[in-house]
Amino acid sequence: MSLRNWVLALSAASMLAMPAIDAAQAEDSIFVPLFTYRTGPFAGSGTPIANGMHDYLTMLNERDGGIGGVKLVVEECETGYDTKKGLECYESVKPKKPVLVNPWSTGITLPLIPKAAVDKIPVLSMAYGLSASAKGDVFPWVFNPPATYWDGFTQILKYIAEQEGGGIEKLQGKKIGYIYLDASFGREPLPLIESLSKELGFEAKLYPVAAADMQNQSSQWLSVRRDRPDYMILYGWGALNSTAVKEAVKTNFPMDKFISIWWPSEDDAKGGGDGAKGFKTLNWHAVGADFPLLADIQKYVVDTGKSQVADKSKVGQVLYNRGVYNSMLIAEAIRTAQKVTGNKVVTGEDVRRGLESLNIDEARLKEMGLEGFTGPVKLSCADHNGHFSTFVQSWNGTAYEKVSDYITPMSDKVGPLLDADAKAYAEKNAPWPTRSEACDAS
Amino acid sequence: MLYNIFIDPFMQMVQMPDLLVQTLWEGLVSGVLYALIALGFVLIFKASGVFNFAQGIMVVFSALTLVGSYEKFAALGFSGPVAAFVALILAAAVMFVFAVLVERVVLRPLVNQPDIILFMATFGITYLLIGFGEMVFGGDPKQMIANELFLPSGSIDVEMLGGRVSFQKLDIAAAVIASVMIAGLAVFFQKTRIGRALRAVADSHKAALSVGISLNQIWVIVWFAAGLVALVTGIMWGARSDVSFALEVVALKALPVLVLGGFTSVPGAIVGGLIIGVGEKLGEFYWGPLLGGGIESWLAYVIALVFLLYRPQGLFGDKIIERI
């Protein structure tokens, strides 16, 4: 046999052996795909989150040998924040039996919602995606803790009312501008805004920004100058955030009245220079790396060169810690699934049960090395979100600092709207399956 | 409804003339910057008949090279304006090497191939630069070194027409630099020997070859010029926002400009840029709220299409007459 034929034969043999290796891997490991975007227009937001997610799970493998003695197989799939590519990623990971998927895009999450129950793969859309998917009775396979976009909007409204010196009645007669990415994510709160503006008596001014114009917002901010809103609320992503901060500074909009949902990073605010001081965002976890768990990530992953973090000072920044938080939820869901089912190598169905039984209390946070990092998380079969409190953090020129107490969402207003929206979703997508999954959680 | 479309916007213009002036200024600045991006496309299209899909990523790559090099210098304790200008020269040098590589590796082997093949090759260049750029510089957004390059900051506020018009110094600088660059390139290609050679190549590759013009040399020069245009574009847009892969999307704004101005005309790129820039800002500001806002991304194409109805070859494009 010639050398060429030997090479061909060996290549063919190795290709045939691949599925066997995959199968062997699947038997003694847990497959966790991470949909990430380290390239493209949204890489500025996607990269730190991808690093945080990846580093936490890698740390568990390095420090503990996985979860419950079972190694995690972590695989990234680049979506570029593009729905089509995200769906390709989903189809490519599906045969490997993932225990859950993290779409990291509302646009990718929406088409995965109907697939989740069919493929038995839970969708974890952490604080993004369809707000109504918090209703576990209608969406047993979708989870979006710790707060929905609708919760976040009402938390910002409550903060504004507080700044005006009282309760939500203070919103009466106010003009509130909403600048947002004109995509599934930014459009998500629009029904809530329409409803609440009528109920609470404030005037909402909408400023959509197309993805192609993220870095070209002068028209929107000219409109802001004309309309003179009392407050501006931002739902942006990627370069939209940094440009919005710069434009707000340029327009002389008072930064203490410019409040964002939880996505802007330090880099987004830094670009605005001194003028950006006072810019505010919501958050539900600490910034900084002064926690035992983050020290372990530093020790086992970053210092050993297993992280893709180019600059070590990025560890502990807002979006890196957001990625860590996301992976903490993944890991705790797997751990809970192992406990609930008694299986070590869990499946998607097991992890769905684990997510519904998730109960991360203060003691568990301390045990993980995250004491003071964030609040407890407890989900249930009916509530896949928790609707937890967030706080406001303000940019001081070099870092974000917490400037408010924890703010609860307006559950009395959001709850009925979520119920109605979940019902409408099921009707629109009829025949939507009635929940048949048993409930483990008490 | 008719009132809102045909009367109210003009009433607003009269009642708030300061905002009209501000809108026109913002449109003018955007227009000049669009023209700059379009110029990069036009240069390459004129010389090689290729629509360079990679122009957008060239903007990102050149700006990342500039900022990334500066960061490396700063890490070595060498920062400030001198380091910034060394990084600028380095970025220009990288764009020259890039032009040489494109000519050697892509254009030369594909000479005489159909235009669509060359067009597809620029797709390949795009994805190569995305991957290479991400590998070298990472996906994190970077701040443009505007101060180090002596780009001004702050604004000049002028009280006029019963209100205030704010002129950002950076925008003024962007308009001036872009105008000087466009004028410089126009003079270079009109008045110099290389410029005449370029125009000869644009007219006919075969005729140019027959009189001893080196196609390869012209292609390198043109791709390098487009690289420099991309670098300046990256600096200006990067200073207005940040330097990230999102800048690639900005290059799409050049498409309606090219449709309007023609793919082969430098004046077309300039006039087209200004019409699109001012048109989309006026449209978004005065008529956008009627349609829920966010109309400027498609309004630019509507403006271009309206012009095309009357001049299919674009405002300044060459009219193609084919004899049968």
Side-chain angles (χ1 to χ4, degrees), chain A residues 213 216 225-226 242-243 246, chain B residues 22 34 164 241-242 285:
Chain A
D213 284 314
N216 186 27
R225 201 176 136 188
R226 174 187 57 197
S242 55
T243 310
K246 279 193 172 181
Chain B
Q22 187 78 61
Y34 294 162
R164 173 179 59 88
S241 178
D242 56 23
F285 188 68

Side-chain angles (χ1 to χ4, degrees), chain A residues 320-332:
Chain A
Y320 183 90
N321 283 5
R322 191 69 46 80
V324 168
Y325 183 94
N326 190 121
S327 279
M328 184 268 286
L329 291 180
I330 296 172
E332 290 307 294

Side-chain angles (χ1 to χ4, degrees), chain A residues 250-262:
Chain A
K250 197 171 124 181
T251 317
N252 291 324
F253 190 84
M255 294 308 283
D256 58 333
K257 296 186 172 183
F258 188 22
I259 308 157
S260 172
I261 194 74
W262 35 69

Side-chain angles (χ1 to χ4, degrees), chain A residues 342-392:
Chain A
N343 300 330
K344 286 289 178 197
V345 181
V346 289
T347 63
E349 286 164 290
D350 297 336
V351 170
R352 193 202 67 76
R353 292 170 62 188
L355 280 160
E356 286 199 332
S357 306
L358 197 66
N359 184 10
I360 307 167
D361 57 14
E362 291 286 5
R364 178 62 192 146
L365 285 170
K366 189 176 179 184
E367 192 185 351
M368 284 190 286
L370 286 175
E371 187 180 19
F373 180 79
T374 188
V377 180
K378 188 175 191 315
L379 302 183
S380 68
C381 299
D383 183 1
H384 282 193
N385 179 274
H387 308 284
F388 295 102
S389 302
T390 61
F391 58 85
V392 175

Side-chain angles (χ1 to χ4, degrees), chain A residues 84-116:
Chain A
K84 290 192 296 294
K85 283 190 194 167
L87 294 176
E88 283 169 19
C89 279
Y90 179 78
E91 292 303 327
S92 72
V93 301
K94 198 167 76 175
K96 298 177 187 172
K97 301 194 182 338
V99 293
L100 81 174
V101 289
N102 308 261
W104 271 104
S105 149
T106 297
I108 301 171
T109 304
L110 296 180
L112 292 187
I113 289 173
K115 290 172 181 278

